[in-house]
Amino acid sequence: MHRSHRTERIATALVGSLLTLARGAAGDVPRGAPVKLEAFDLKQVRLLDGPCRMALEANRRYLLALEPDRLLYNFRVTAGLPAPGKPLGGWEEPKCEVRGHFVGHYLSACALMYRNTGDEALRAKADAMVAEMAKCQKAMGGEYLSAYPQDFWHRLEAMQKPPWAPYYTIHKIMAGLFDMHQLCGNRQALDVLNGMAAYFKKRIDKLPLAQWDKILTVEFGGMSEVLHNLHAVTGDPNHFALACKFDQGAFLGPLALEWDNLSGIHANTQIPKICGAARRYELTGDERYRTVTRFFWDRVVHTRSYATGGSNRSEHWPEPGRLADTLSQDNQECCTTYNMLKVTRYLIRWTGDPAYADYYERAFFNGILGTQNPKDGMLMYFVPLATGHTKKFGTPNDSFWCCYGTGIESFAKLADSIYFRDDEGIYVNLFIPSTLNWEQEGVRLEQHTRFPQEDRTALIVRVSEPVTGTLHIRVPYWATRGVEVKVNGQPVPAQAKPTSYLSLHRRWNDGDTVEVRMPMGLHACPMPDDPDVMALMYGPVVLAGLTRENRYFLGDPNDLGSWINPVEGKPLTFRTTGQPTDITFVPLYAVIDEPYGVYWPVLKEGSPRHQKLLADEVARRKRQARTVDRVIANDNPSESAHNLKGENHAAGPFGGKGWRHAPDGWFSWDLKVLPEVPMVLACTYWGSDVPPRTFDILVDGRVIATQSLNNNKPGNFFDVEYKIPSELTQGKDRITVTFRAHKGHTAGGVFECATLKPD
């Protein structure tokens, strides 16, 4: 096919950008990039009583409870040293191919917690672990350090059954050591880190570029960022050259051309690469890396993110603007929110743009807070957004998912990014009870607030002598009802628009108090591809409806107060009115054990969609009256109760439901029947399944139907009923239903299977 000149120009530019980004390291001379705002050091900020302080303390208790010998077990075994204690479970058990990753996160979390709180017990515990890791490194030759042996790298470099994510794991360890050096002043951690960098540089330098490009297709975490950080400390050009090796041109190149290449890819593999690109921009001033960072952020936040600020389903990104059919029990991997906040923090520093701080606030309240169980500090992997699910928390010693690692870091640095500064003054970006101590300027700032339970904050200035400067207070995107400001009890004019800063420039005296009120209101956040379906928000807070059932609401999305109202005496609690069944809404971050939903159809009564839902409800009730038994795919209790068996079968979430299928295989469930009544088997399928799938359906070993799936009903789920011959159920109270693929085909996916009485 003849290509247009425009397409040829884009393709040529794309190739050039890929090559330049992949191989440009040798010519880069660090010169630095301009930064508009600087964040205050964690040691300058302290949390006051409130939800964030409670979450931090729960995290601190968990960090203190973890046993060093158990954390170090795999490192010692790998080094051939005595390994007292017993290994941990989950992703840290001795056969897991990312064992050791959590230990790196643990060092980072201890370092962050020490920097923010001054907890000497945690610092001493982490210092002792660094010393033990140094012993392991010495036992393995003085450079290599990991919780798994060096033959992992032979497998990776040969790309023959490569390990799960070896450089991802090494990144976590290196980042933990770097944080111990930077935040706790541990010189030994830097020595160990230097040894690791030397080891991997020697390995990587031997590899041809084509081979290295293949290796970079295996998740490698934030290797670029930690090595750029190391170079910033050591000034060693070898560290810079090694960092640049991990700036993957095949991924970053299209982004440098503002080419969206994110659809269908694993989200958390990519975001740390952007953190590396951001750090390289800061060190070199190379504008291409600023473009990469900004454009990437825009495509994730503005085209693939939910009302919560989180993104992805089952760890992968959808097509831009296609979110309505992605709601499930495994939305919003917690790691991705943690890493998107890191990217956002870079952009806040570079630009001072309050729009980035708006996103930070949204993701912080709806994607970080609420992912920890306040009772014991346990953490989550995913945040379900489909209705009817509950939050799933891990266990103290047998989980250690990737999101456990980023989680203990998140809850160790909750004071991060509340305050920024420039040469003229202080920027207040988050409304969290806290104190700021700006020693260099002799200024201490106290923030007293119950936000978001209340729509106001108070800032008290403490100085030993008067100072002149500017206090900048973020006016969020949701502050559409005006801003009220008082200084020392006296109203002052405030005309700041949403997504801006309210700037107060004056001579400040000790005890000066600024009171700011930004009235919050209910507002809807609709799906980009289905505006009838929306999340409800109050200020920056996403509200969760407490229910197990999929529901819709009758009302005007432009007049939410006509059908949902605050519950008197219960801050941030709302209740619907005038609905077939009314339910209560509370902040998503406050939900712990209850089933909930986040997105809802909001329809005008009598509209075509309402009429269809009414008809669907009639059909559902009719189906329910006929149902003898049913099994729900990808639901562990349901499938276990129905004796799931099979070969080459798999399951997963889709569209708020679960599926099971078997490529060139089979699976079966046992279902109840009525022995003296003719029975029907009903199965639910997805109408857009392609390529063609053909499979037999058997009852107790006998084929009763053959089903083909090939885009049968695009964009919709559909049911098929199959009559079961009466001789297969006569005298029985249970049958085995099997789905068996034809050769070269896939059986299913089946979302639900039920035995029914005849219509």
PDB file of all heavy atoms in Angstrom, residues 321-325 523-536 553 555-558 560 563 598-604 607 609:
ATOM      1  N   GLY A 321      -9.469   6.511  26.444  1.00  0.00           N
ATOM      2  CA  GLY A 321     -10.876   6.868  26.491  1.00  0.00           C
ATOM      3  C   GLY A 321     -11.824   5.692  26.515  1.00  0.00           C
ATOM      4  O   GLY A 321     -13.037   5.881  26.425  1.00  0.00           O
ATOM      5  N   ARG A 322     -11.318   4.455  26.670  1.00  0.00           N
ATOM      6  CA  ARG A 322     -12.159   3.253  26.698  1.00  0.00           C
ATOM      7  C   ARG A 322     -12.122   2.655  28.096  1.00  0.00           C
ATOM      8  O   ARG A 322     -11.313   1.771  28.388  1.00  0.00           O
ATOM      9  CB  ARG A 322     -11.661   2.240  25.658  1.00  0.00           C
ATOM     10  CG  ARG A 322     -11.832   2.671  24.214  1.00  0.00           C
ATOM     11  CD  ARG A 322     -13.285   2.656  23.792  1.00  0.00           C
ATOM     12  NE  ARG A 322     -13.857   1.324  23.957  1.00  0.00           N
ATOM     13  CZ  ARG A 322     -13.769   0.358  23.052  1.00  0.00           C
ATOM     14  NH1 ARG A 322     -13.123   0.578  21.911  1.00  0.00           N
ATOM     15  NH2 ARG A 322     -14.335  -0.813  23.278  1.00  0.00           N
ATOM     16  N   LEU A 323     -12.964   3.152  28.972  1.00  0.00           N
ATOM     17  CA  LEU A 323     -12.931   2.727  30.373  1.00  0.00           C
ATOM     18  C   LEU A 323     -14.210   2.049  30.846  1.00  0.00           C
ATOM     19  O   LEU A 323     -14.191   1.329  31.840  1.00  0.00           O
ATOM     20  CB  LEU A 323     -12.656   3.943  31.274  1.00  0.00           C
ATOM     21  CG  LEU A 323     -11.318   4.657  31.097  1.00  0.00           C
ATOM     22  CD1 LEU A 323     -11.250   5.860  32.033  1.00  0.00           C
ATOM     23  CD2 LEU A 323     -10.161   3.716  31.351  1.00  0.00           C
ATOM     24  N   ALA A 324     -15.323   2.261  30.157  1.00  0.00           N
ATOM     25  CA  ALA A 324     -16.608   1.826  30.690  1.00  0.00           C
ATOM     26  C   ALA A 324     -16.691   0.316  30.870  1.00  0.00           C
ATOM     27  O   ALA A 324     -17.380  -0.166  31.770  1.00  0.00           O
ATOM     28  CB  ALA A 324     -17.747   2.312  29.789  1.00  0.00           C
ATOM     29  N   ASP A 325     -15.991  -0.450  30.023  1.00  0.00           N
ATOM     30  CA  ASP A 325     -16.077  -1.907  30.136  1.00  0.00           C
ATOM     31  C   ASP A 325     -14.874  -2.497  30.859  1.00  0.00           C
ATOM     32  O   ASP A 325     -14.607  -3.696  30.755  1.00  0.00           O
ATOM     33  CB  ASP A 325     -16.230  -2.552  28.756  1.00  0.00           C
ATOM     34  CG  ASP A 325     -15.031  -2.317  27.853  1.00  0.00           C
ATOM     35  OD1 ASP A 325     -14.131  -1.558  28.255  1.00  0.00           O
ATOM     36  OD2 ASP A 325     -14.997  -2.898  26.748  1.00  0.00           O
ATOM     37  N   HIS A 523     -20.197  16.353  42.930  1.00  0.00           N
ATOM     38  CA  HIS A 523     -20.075  16.476  41.482  1.00  0.00           C
ATOM     39  C   HIS A 523     -19.850  15.099  40.887  1.00  0.00           C
ATOM     40  O   HIS A 523     -19.397  14.170  41.567  1.00  0.00           O
ATOM     41  CB  HIS A 523     -18.962  17.452  41.080  1.00  0.00           C
ATOM     42  CG  HIS A 523     -17.607  17.123  41.614  1.00  0.00           C
ATOM     43  ND1 HIS A 523     -16.615  16.569  40.842  1.00  0.00           N
ATOM     44  CD2 HIS A 523     -17.070  17.272  42.853  1.00  0.00           C
ATOM     45  CE1 HIS A 523     -15.518  16.409  41.582  1.00  0.00           C
ATOM     46  NE2 HIS A 523     -15.772  16.824  42.799  1.00  0.00           N
ATOM     47  N   ALA A 524     -20.204  14.961  39.621  1.00  0.00           N
ATOM     48  CA  ALA A 524     -20.124  13.673  38.942  1.00  0.00           C
ATOM     49  C   ALA A 524     -18.884  13.612  38.073  1.00  0.00           C
ATOM     50  O   ALA A 524     -18.456  14.612  37.496  1.00  0.00           O
ATOM     51  CB  ALA A 524     -21.368  13.453  38.093  1.00  0.00           C
ATOM     52  N   CYS A 525     -18.310  12.413  37.963  1.00  0.00           N
ATOM     53  CA  CYS A 525     -17.180  12.168  37.073  1.00  0.00           C
ATOM     54  C   CYS A 525     -17.591  11.038  36.127  1.00  0.00           C
ATOM     55  O   CYS A 525     -17.501   9.858  36.479  1.00  0.00           O
ATOM     56  CB  CYS A 525     -15.939  11.781  37.879  1.00  0.00           C
ATOM     57  SG  CYS A 525     -14.447  11.602  36.882  1.00  0.00           S
ATOM     58  N   PRO A 526     -18.087  11.383  34.935  1.00  0.00           N
ATOM     59  CA  PRO A 526     -18.611  10.355  34.028  1.00  0.00           C
ATOM     60  C   PRO A 526     -17.507   9.605  33.291  1.00  0.00           C
ATOM     61  O   PRO A 526     -16.388  10.098  33.130  1.00  0.00           O
ATOM     62  CB  PRO A 526     -19.470  11.157  33.052  1.00  0.00           C
ATOM     63  CG  PRO A 526     -18.849  12.515  33.041  1.00  0.00           C
ATOM     64  CD  PRO A 526     -18.289  12.739  34.420  1.00  0.00           C
ATOM     65  N   MET A 527     -17.838   8.415  32.838  1.00  0.00           N
ATOM     66  CA  MET A 527     -16.944   7.658  31.980  1.00  0.00           C
ATOM     67  C   MET A 527     -16.805   8.374  30.637  1.00  0.00           C
ATOM     68  O   MET A 527     -17.792   8.862  30.090  1.00  0.00           O
ATOM     69  CB  MET A 527     -17.503   6.250  31.741  1.00  0.00           C
ATOM     70  CG  MET A 527     -17.286   5.303  32.889  1.00  0.00           C
ATOM     71  SD  MET A 527     -15.520   4.902  33.051  1.00  0.00           S
ATOM     72  CE  MET A 527     -15.603   3.565  34.231  1.00  0.00           C
ATOM     73  N   PRO A 528     -15.600   8.422  30.076  1.00  0.00           N
ATOM     74  CA  PRO A 528     -15.432   9.143  28.804  1.00  0.00           C
ATOM     75  C   PRO A 528     -16.204   8.508  27.658  1.00  0.00           C
ATOM     76  O   PRO A 528     -16.625   9.208  26.737  1.00  0.00           O
ATOM     77  CB  PRO A 528     -13.919   9.074  28.561  1.00  0.00           C
ATOM     78  CG  PRO A 528     -13.437   7.918  29.372  1.00  0.00           C
ATOM     79  CD  PRO A 528     -14.331   7.871  30.574  1.00  0.00           C
ATOM     80  N   ASP A 529     -16.393   7.194  27.715  1.00  0.00           N
ATOM     81  CA  ASP A 529     -17.056   6.501  26.621  1.00  0.00           C
ATOM     82  C   ASP A 529     -18.475   6.068  26.957  1.00  0.00           C
ATOM     83  O   ASP A 529     -19.114   5.385  26.161  1.00  0.00           O
ATOM     84  CB  ASP A 529     -16.232   5.287  26.177  1.00  0.00           C
ATOM     85  CG  ASP A 529     -15.837   4.374  27.328  1.00  0.00           C
ATOM     86  OD1 ASP A 529     -15.743   4.869  28.460  1.00  0.00           O
ATOM     87  OD2 ASP A 529     -15.602   3.179  27.089  1.00  0.00           O
ATOM     88  N   ASP A 530     -18.977   6.466  28.121  1.00  0.00           N
ATOM     89  CA  ASP A 530     -20.366   6.188  28.493  1.00  0.00           C
ATOM     90  C   ASP A 530     -20.775   7.207  29.542  1.00  0.00           C
ATOM     91  O   ASP A 530     -20.752   6.940  30.742  1.00  0.00           O
ATOM     92  CB  ASP A 530     -20.516   4.768  29.036  1.00  0.00           C
ATOM     93  CG  ASP A 530     -21.977   4.367  29.220  1.00  0.00           C
ATOM     94  OD1 ASP A 530     -22.862   5.252  29.103  1.00  0.00           O
ATOM     95  OD2 ASP A 530     -22.243   3.180  29.475  1.00  0.00           O
ATOM     96  N   PRO A 531     -21.166   8.407  29.116  1.00  0.00           N
ATOM     97  CA  PRO A 531     -21.429   9.488  30.081  1.00  0.00           C
ATOM     98  C   PRO A 531     -22.586   9.230  31.020  1.00  0.00           C
ATOM     99  O   PRO A 531     -22.722   9.924  32.028  1.00  0.00           O
ATOM    100  CB  PRO A 531     -21.699  10.706  29.176  1.00  0.00           C
ATOM    101  CG  PRO A 531     -22.006  10.149  27.832  1.00  0.00           C
ATOM    102  CD  PRO A 531     -21.281   8.856  27.717  1.00  0.00           C
ATOM    103  N   ASP A 532     -23.443   8.227  30.739  1.00  0.00           N
ATOM    104  CA  ASP A 532     -24.504   7.877  31.688  1.00  0.00           C
ATOM    105  C   ASP A 532     -23.950   7.197  32.933  1.00  0.00           C
ATOM    106  O   ASP A 532     -24.617   7.150  33.969  1.00  0.00           O
ATOM    107  CB  ASP A 532     -25.517   6.931  31.040  1.00  0.00           C
ATOM    108  CG  ASP A 532     -26.414   7.634  30.045  1.00  0.00           C
ATOM    109  OD1 ASP A 532     -26.486   8.874  30.081  1.00  0.00           O
ATOM    110  OD2 ASP A 532     -27.029   6.940  29.214  1.00  0.00           O
ATOM    111  N   VAL A 533     -22.743   6.629  32.817  1.00  0.00           N
ATOM    112  CA  VAL A 533     -22.127   5.899  33.927  1.00  0.00           C
ATOM    113  C   VAL A 533     -21.111   6.809  34.593  1.00  0.00           C
ATOM    114  O   VAL A 533     -20.208   7.329  33.933  1.00  0.00           O
ATOM    115  CB  VAL A 533     -21.460   4.599  33.431  1.00  0.00           C
ATOM    116  CG1 VAL A 533     -20.752   3.890  34.574  1.00  0.00           C
ATOM    117  CG2 VAL A 533     -22.508   3.686  32.805  1.00  0.00           C
ATOM    118  N   MET A 534     -21.232   6.998  35.897  1.00  0.00           N
ATOM    119  CA  MET A 534     -20.412   8.011  36.554  1.00  0.00           C
ATOM    120  C   MET A 534     -20.077   7.623  37.983  1.00  0.00           C
ATOM    121  O   MET A 534     -20.786   6.844  38.627  1.00  0.00           O
ATOM    122  CB  MET A 534     -21.127   9.359  36.529  1.00  0.00           C
ATOM    123  CG  MET A 534     -22.464   9.374  37.229  1.00  0.00           C
ATOM    124  SD  MET A 534     -23.445  10.855  36.810  1.00  0.00           S
ATOM    125  CE  MET A 534     -23.757  10.585  35.066  1.00  0.00           C
ATOM    126  N   ALA A 535     -18.979   8.185  38.445  1.00  0.00           N
ATOM    127  CA  ALA A 535     -18.630   8.134  39.867  1.00  0.00           C
ATOM    128  C   ALA A 535     -19.106   9.427  40.508  1.00  0.00           C
ATOM    129  O   ALA A 535     -19.175  10.478  39.862  1.00  0.00           O
ATOM    130  CB  ALA A 535     -17.130   7.969  40.038  1.00  0.00           C
ATOM    131  N   LEU A 536     -19.425   9.359  41.798  1.00  0.00           N
ATOM    132  CA  LEU A 536     -19.839  10.538  42.551  1.00  0.00           C
ATOM    133  C   LEU A 536     -18.681  10.983  43.434  1.00  0.00           C
ATOM    134  O   LEU A 536     -18.020  10.164  44.080  1.00  0.00           O
ATOM    135  CB  LEU A 536     -21.060  10.226  43.407  1.00  0.00           C
ATOM    136  CG  LEU A 536     -22.288   9.701  42.653  1.00  0.00           C
ATOM    137  CD1 LEU A 536     -23.440   9.473  43.613  1.00  0.00           C
ATOM    138  CD2 LEU A 536     -22.696  10.656  41.539  1.00  0.00           C
ATOM    139  N   PHE A 553     -29.360   4.596  39.206  1.00  0.00           N
ATOM    140  CA  PHE A 553     -30.101   5.626  39.922  1.00  0.00           C
ATOM    141  C   PHE A 553     -30.888   6.466  38.938  1.00  0.00           C
ATOM    142  O   PHE A 553     -30.418   6.769  37.831  1.00  0.00           O
ATOM    143  CB  PHE A 553     -29.148   6.507  40.731  1.00  0.00           C
ATOM    144  CG  PHE A 553     -28.398   5.755  41.788  1.00  0.00           C
ATOM    145  CD1 PHE A 553     -27.034   5.555  41.687  1.00  0.00           C
ATOM    146  CD2 PHE A 553     -29.062   5.220  42.876  1.00  0.00           C
ATOM    147  CE1 PHE A 553     -26.341   4.850  42.647  1.00  0.00           C
ATOM    148  CE2 PHE A 553     -28.384   4.508  43.845  1.00  0.00           C
ATOM    149  CZ  PHE A 553     -27.017   4.317  43.737  1.00  0.00           C
ATOM    150  N   GLY A 555     -32.284  10.015  38.204  1.00  0.00           N
ATOM    151  CA  GLY A 555     -32.042  11.380  38.640  1.00  0.00           C
ATOM    152  C   GLY A 555     -31.334  12.179  37.570  1.00  0.00           C
ATOM    153  O   GLY A 555     -31.016  11.679  36.486  1.00  0.00           O
ATOM    154  N   ASP A 556     -31.062  13.409  37.914  1.00  0.00           N
ATOM    155  CA  ASP A 556     -30.408  14.341  37.007  1.00  0.00           C
ATOM    156  C   ASP A 556     -28.934  14.430  37.394  1.00  0.00           C
ATOM    157  O   ASP A 556     -28.608  14.869  38.501  1.00  0.00           O
ATOM    158  CB  ASP A 556     -31.073  15.713  37.127  1.00  0.00           C
ATOM    159  CG  ASP A 556     -30.510  16.721  36.139  1.00  0.00           C
ATOM    160  OD1 ASP A 556     -29.471  16.442  35.513  1.00  0.00           O
ATOM    161  OD2 ASP A 556     -31.112  17.811  36.015  1.00  0.00           O
ATOM    162  N   PRO A 557     -28.014  14.022  36.511  1.00  0.00           N
ATOM    163  CA  PRO A 557     -26.588  14.108  36.854  1.00  0.00           C
ATOM    164  C   PRO A 557     -26.106  15.537  37.041  1.00  0.00           C
ATOM    165  O   PRO A 557     -25.050  15.763  37.638  1.00  0.00           O
ATOM    166  CB  PRO A 557     -25.892  13.440  35.663  1.00  0.00           C
ATOM    167  CG  PRO A 557     -26.873  13.517  34.545  1.00  0.00           C
ATOM    168  CD  PRO A 557     -28.226  13.450  35.172  1.00  0.00           C
ATOM    169  N   ASN A 558     -26.872  16.503  36.547  1.00  0.00           N
ATOM    170  CA  ASN A 558     -26.516  17.909  36.728  1.00  0.00           C
ATOM    171  C   ASN A 558     -27.136  18.514  37.984  1.00  0.00           C
ATOM    172  O   ASN A 558     -26.905  19.679  38.291  1.00  0.00           O
ATOM    173  CB  ASN A 558     -26.949  18.717  35.499  1.00  0.00           C
ATOM    174  CG  ASN A 558     -26.245  18.255  34.242  1.00  0.00           C
ATOM    175  OD1 ASN A 558     -25.026  18.065  34.250  1.00  0.00           O
ATOM    176  ND2 ASN A 558     -26.997  18.049  33.175  1.00  0.00           N
ATOM    177  N   LEU A 560     -27.328  16.701  41.378  1.00  0.00           N
ATOM    178  CA  LEU A 560     -27.166  15.536  42.247  1.00  0.00           C
ATOM    179  C   LEU A 560     -27.936  15.693  43.551  1.00  0.00           C
ATOM    180  O   LEU A 560     -28.426  14.715  44.116  1.00  0.00           O
ATOM    181  CB  LEU A 560     -25.680  15.302  42.533  1.00  0.00           C
ATOM    182  CG  LEU A 560     -24.788  15.042  41.321  1.00  0.00           C
ATOM    183  CD1 LEU A 560     -23.354  14.798  41.764  1.00  0.00           C
ATOM    184  CD2 LEU A 560     -25.294  13.867  40.499  1.00  0.00           C
ATOM    185  N   TRP A 563     -31.318  13.930  44.370  1.00  0.00           N
ATOM    186  CA  TRP A 563     -31.534  12.500  44.642  1.00  0.00           C
ATOM    187  C   TRP A 563     -30.476  11.874  45.552  1.00  0.00           C
ATOM    188  O   TRP A 563     -30.556  10.691  45.866  1.00  0.00           O
ATOM    189  CB  TRP A 563     -31.638  11.707  43.341  1.00  0.00           C
ATOM    190  CG  TRP A 563     -30.464  11.856  42.413  1.00  0.00           C
ATOM    191  CD1 TRP A 563     -30.277  12.820  41.481  1.00  0.00           C
ATOM    192  CD2 TRP A 563     -29.322  10.991  42.335  1.00  0.00           C
ATOM    193  NE1 TRP A 563     -29.084  12.642  40.822  1.00  0.00           N
ATOM    194  CE2 TRP A 563     -28.475  11.513  41.325  1.00  0.00           C
ATOM    195  CE3 TRP A 563     -28.923   9.840  43.007  1.00  0.00           C
ATOM    196  CZ2 TRP A 563     -27.270  10.920  40.988  1.00  0.00           C
ATOM    197  CZ3 TRP A 563     -27.717   9.246  42.668  1.00  0.00           C
ATOM    198  CH2 TRP A 563     -26.909   9.784  41.669  1.00  0.00           C
ATOM    199  N   VAL A 598     -18.355   1.916  42.799  1.00  0.00           N
ATOM    200  CA  VAL A 598     -17.843   3.265  42.551  1.00  0.00           C
ATOM    201  C   VAL A 598     -18.546   3.935  41.369  1.00  0.00           C
ATOM    202  O   VAL A 598     -18.799   5.135  41.404  1.00  0.00           O
ATOM    203  CB  VAL A 598     -16.314   3.220  42.322  1.00  0.00           C
ATOM    204  CG1 VAL A 598     -15.781   4.562  41.821  1.00  0.00           C
ATOM    205  CG2 VAL A 598     -15.598   2.816  43.613  1.00  0.00           C
ATOM    206  N   TYR A 599     -18.865   3.182  40.321  1.00  0.00           N
ATOM    207  CA  TYR A 599     -19.483   3.762  39.121  1.00  0.00           C
ATOM    208  C   TYR A 599     -20.922   3.262  38.990  1.00  0.00           C
ATOM    209  O   TYR A 599     -21.213   2.088  39.245  1.00  0.00           O
ATOM    210  CB  TYR A 599     -18.696   3.379  37.874  1.00  0.00           C
ATOM    211  CG  TYR A 599     -17.485   4.263  37.646  1.00  0.00           C
ATOM    212  CD1 TYR A 599     -16.239   3.902  38.135  1.00  0.00           C
ATOM    213  CD2 TYR A 599     -17.599   5.456  36.936  1.00  0.00           C
ATOM    214  CE1 TYR A 599     -15.122   4.704  37.923  1.00  0.00           C
ATOM    215  CE2 TYR A 599     -16.494   6.262  36.715  1.00  0.00           C
ATOM    216  CZ  TYR A 599     -15.266   5.891  37.209  1.00  0.00           C
ATOM    217  OH  TYR A 599     -14.177   6.698  36.997  1.00  0.00           O
ATOM    218  N   TRP A 600     -21.809   4.185  38.544  1.00  0.00           N
ATOM    219  CA  TRP A 600     -23.244   3.886  38.505  1.00  0.00           C
ATOM    220  C   TRP A 600     -23.890   4.515  37.273  1.00  0.00           C
ATOM    221  O   TRP A 600     -23.608   5.675  36.938  1.00  0.00           O
ATOM    222  CB  TRP A 600     -23.939   4.463  39.741  1.00  0.00           C
ATOM    223  CG  TRP A 600     -23.168   4.255  40.988  1.00  0.00           C
ATOM    224  CD1 TRP A 600     -22.215   5.068  41.507  1.00  0.00           C
ATOM    225  CD2 TRP A 600     -23.243   3.116  41.844  1.00  0.00           C
ATOM    226  NE1 TRP A 600     -21.699   4.518  42.654  1.00  0.00           N
ATOM    227  CE2 TRP A 600     -22.307   3.315  42.890  1.00  0.00           C
ATOM    228  CE3 TRP A 600     -24.014   1.955  41.847  1.00  0.00           C
ATOM    229  CZ2 TRP A 600     -22.126   2.394  43.910  1.00  0.00           C
ATOM    230  CZ3 TRP A 600     -23.843   1.046  42.865  1.00  0.00           C
ATOM    231  CH2 TRP A 600     -22.906   1.259  43.894  1.00  0.00           C
ATOM    232  N   PRO A 601     -24.821   3.807  36.621  1.00  0.00           N
ATOM    233  CA  PRO A 601     -25.670   4.477  35.627  1.00  0.00           C
ATOM    234  C   PRO A 601     -26.611   5.454  36.334  1.00  0.00           C
ATOM    235  O   PRO A 601     -27.265   5.087  37.316  1.00  0.00           O
ATOM    236  CB  PRO A 601     -26.451   3.321  34.984  1.00  0.00           C
ATOM    237  CG  PRO A 601     -25.685   2.080  35.328  1.00  0.00           C
ATOM    238  CD  PRO A 601     -25.049   2.349  36.664  1.00  0.00           C
ATOM    239  N   VAL A 602     -26.643   6.672  35.871  1.00  0.00           N
ATOM    240  CA  VAL A 602     -27.585   7.677  36.381  1.00  0.00           C
ATOM    241  C   VAL A 602     -28.464   8.072  35.201  1.00  0.00           C
ATOM    242  O   VAL A 602     -27.979   8.653  34.224  1.00  0.00           O
ATOM    243  CB  VAL A 602     -26.858   8.892  36.977  1.00  0.00           C
ATOM    244  CG1 VAL A 602     -27.872   9.941  37.437  1.00  0.00           C
ATOM    245  CG2 VAL A 602     -25.957   8.465  38.137  1.00  0.00           C
ATOM    246  N   LEU A 603     -29.761   7.754  35.284  1.00  0.00           N
ATOM    247  CA  LEU A 603     -30.644   7.823  34.127  1.00  0.00           C
ATOM    248  C   LEU A 603     -31.884   8.647  34.422  1.00  0.00           C
ATOM    249  O   LEU A 603     -32.341   8.730  35.566  1.00  0.00           O
ATOM    250  CB  LEU A 603     -31.080   6.407  33.726  1.00  0.00           C
ATOM    251  CG  LEU A 603     -29.960   5.376  33.555  1.00  0.00           C
ATOM    252  CD1 LEU A 603     -30.557   3.995  33.363  1.00  0.00           C
ATOM    253  CD2 LEU A 603     -29.060   5.747  32.405  1.00  0.00           C
ATOM    254  N   LYS A 604     -32.401   9.229  33.383  1.00  0.00           N
ATOM    255  CA  LYS A 604     -33.695   9.894  33.497  1.00  0.00           C
ATOM    256  C   LYS A 604     -34.797   8.838  33.434  1.00  0.00           C
ATOM    257  O   LYS A 604     -34.749   7.915  32.622  1.00  0.00           O
ATOM    258  CB  LYS A 604     -33.865  10.915  32.378  1.00  0.00           C
ATOM    259  CG  LYS A 604     -32.946  12.116  32.515  1.00  0.00           C
ATOM    260  CD  LYS A 604     -33.214  13.161  31.440  1.00  0.00           C
ATOM    261  CE  LYS A 604     -32.315  14.388  31.636  1.00  0.00           C
ATOM    262  NZ  LYS A 604     -32.562  15.409  30.596  1.00  0.00           N
ATOM    263  N   SER A 607     -36.303   6.918  30.213  1.00  0.00           N
ATOM    264  CA  SER A 607     -35.396   6.995  29.075  1.00  0.00           C
ATOM    265  C   SER A 607     -35.226   5.611  28.460  1.00  0.00           C
ATOM    266  O   SER A 607     -35.491   4.584  29.105  1.00  0.00           O
ATOM    267  CB  SER A 607     -34.042   7.545  29.515  1.00  0.00           C
ATOM    268  OG  SER A 607     -33.408   6.632  30.402  1.00  0.00           O
ATOM    269  N   ARG A 609     -32.645   3.832  27.948  1.00  0.00           N
ATOM    270  CA  ARG A 609     -31.746   2.985  28.737  1.00  0.00           C
ATOM    271  C   ARG A 609     -32.431   2.515  30.017  1.00  0.00           C
ATOM    272  O   ARG A 609     -32.238   1.379  30.453  1.00  0.00           O
ATOM    273  CB  ARG A 609     -30.459   3.736  29.049  1.00  0.00           C
ATOM    274  CG  ARG A 609     -29.374   2.859  29.649  1.00  0.00           C
ATOM    275  CD  ARG A 609     -28.035   3.543  29.558  1.00  0.00           C
ATOM    276  NE  ARG A 609     -26.957   2.707  30.047  1.00  0.00           N
ATOM    277  CZ  ARG A 609     -25.662   3.024  29.925  1.00  0.00           C
ATOM    278  NH1 ARG A 609     -25.315   4.147  29.317  1.00  0.00           N
ATOM    279  NH2 ARG A 609     -24.736   2.216  30.391  1.00  0.00           N
TER     280      ARG A 609
END
